[in-house]
Amino acid sequence: MSTLTATTETPSTRSGRPAYRVTGRRVLASEWAKLFSLRSSWIVLGMSLLFVVGFGLIAALRYRSGIGSGQINQDFARQNAVGLSLFGTNFAQLALGVLGVLVTAGEYSTGMIRSTLAAVPRRLPVLWAKAAVTGLVALVVATAGAFVAFLFGSRIVSGTPGAMDFSHAGVVRSLLGAGLYLCLVAVIGTALGALLRSVAGAISALVAALMLIPGLIALLPSAWHDGISPYLPSNAGASMFAVTRDATTLAPGAGLLVLLAWTALTLAGAAYRLRRTDA
């Protein structure tokens, strides 16, 4: 006679929590991988570096030839090596701003944002990580471009009234200021992309803020123009990397504070919409 022994197995309980933890470091790593996995990111970063260095050298060469021939515009003749080397900043700001727009609005246009927010349900860490990664990359590229442009541009204008080198007061601060300005423009582009959720709309808003609105403000009466113009994002940023200033422009520190305020405002708007509306 055989005896059957019934064995009682304790059912294993599985936790409903995912096997991974969402941490700030992992979100940053994810955004870093996504940024550099896109061909458009490399193209835009290359264009930004080309704009800063290329247009800076062209401006320096034009200044040198104009001074030598005696046929040069008076406003251009008053430029110095820093201003000439950073001439391409006006073009690079659009490229890096567009990079920021593509980082956020590009995901909305492809629908990938739904997967991103499903992986990071709290949402806001995604925005902070995108802004941090984009800003850091823009800062490195822009600062490197500014120093390279000045390194060669200062040699081109050597021996002219606009000659300067790294030992002159304010030169290093101006070059670092240019890199920081372009970094904040990239962050503003990131925030606009998250706020408007449209590549075309965010780029249009960026171009309007940096180029169109300053031109329209110039049409106002001088009293209004002088009171508003220094606090626009592009003008406040320009004061950050100007070696000299006049009564109509902000001091470098004040310009940085104004641009930080604009950056914080756009990020706050993007964060509010990200939390309040569906993807």
Side-chain angles (χ1 to χ4, degrees):
M1 181 176 177
S2 62
T3 304
L4 298 177
T5 304
T7 59
T8 304
E9 296 183 357
T10 303
S12 61
T13 57
R14 294 183 179 179
S15 173
R17 296 181 180 179
Y20 62 89
R21 289 184 58 211
V22 178
T23 63
R25 182 178 178 180
R26 288 176 175 174
V27 177
L28 283 171
S30 172
E31 295 304 327
W32 181 274
K34 283 192 286 185
L35 177 66
F36 287 104
S37 64
L38 297 175
R39 185 182 303 174
S40 59
S41 300
W42 292 98
I43 294 174
V44 174
L45 289 172
M47 290 177 59
S48 304
L49 189 61
L50 179 63
F51 287 155
V52 175
V53 177
F55 282 102
L57 296 182
I58 291 172
L61 288 170
R62 182 189 170 193
Y63 175 86
R64 179 78 187 197
S65 62
I67 289 292
S69 63
Q71 298 177 352
I72 187 172
N73 182 276
Q74 292 301 316
D75 292 333
F76 197 65
R78 288 193 289 267
Q79 286 286 349
N80 53 53
V82 172
L84 294 169
S85 300
L86 298 180
F87 184 78
T89 303
N90 293 329
F91 303 94
Q93 66 181 354
L94 294 179
L96 290 174
V98 168
L99 175 66
V101 169
L102 293 176
V103 166
T104 48
E107 287 201 25
Y108 281 97
S109 63
T110 60
M112 186 178 177
I113 190 65
R114 288 189 288 271
S115 300
T116 299
L117 297 182
V120 189
R122 292 177 61 188
R123 295 192 174 194
L124 288 187
V126 173
L127 178 61
W128 308 143
K130 287 182 180 294
V133 169
T134 308
L136 177 61
V137 172
L139 177 64
V140 172
V141 172
T143 304
F147 274 87
V148 170
F150 180 78
L151 180 65
F152 291 99
S154 61
R155 295 181 180 180
I156 293 174
V157 301
S158 177
T160 66
M164 300 180 79
D165 55 36
F166 286 106
S167 63
H168 280 75
V171 169
V172 175
R173 188 264 307 160
S174 297
L175 299 177
L176 293 175
L180 183 56
Y181 167 63
L182 294 176
C183 161
L184 293 177
V185 168
V187 175
I188 290 175
T190 305
L192 287 175
L195 177 62
L196 301 179
R197 301 184 176 183
S198 165
V199 173
I203 291 177
S204 299
L206 182 72
V207 172
L210 297 179
M211 303 184 70
L212 297 183
I213 293 178
L216 294 175
I217 294 296
L219 301 177
L220 295 176
S222 58
W224 293 12
H225 172 266
D226 295 341
I228 298 175
S229 180
Y231 300 96
L232 297 177
S234 56
N235 294 338
S239 66
M240 293 169 54
F241 55 86
V243 178
T244 59
R245 60 179 292 262
D246 53 37
T248 62
T249 59
L250 297 175
L256 174 60
L257 291 177
V258 170
L259 192 60
L260 285 174
W262 283 110
T263 305
L265 181 64
T266 52
L267 281 173
Y272 179 83
R273 188 174 186 191
L274 187 61
R275 286 293 301 270
R276 296 294 181 178
T277 59
D278 293 332

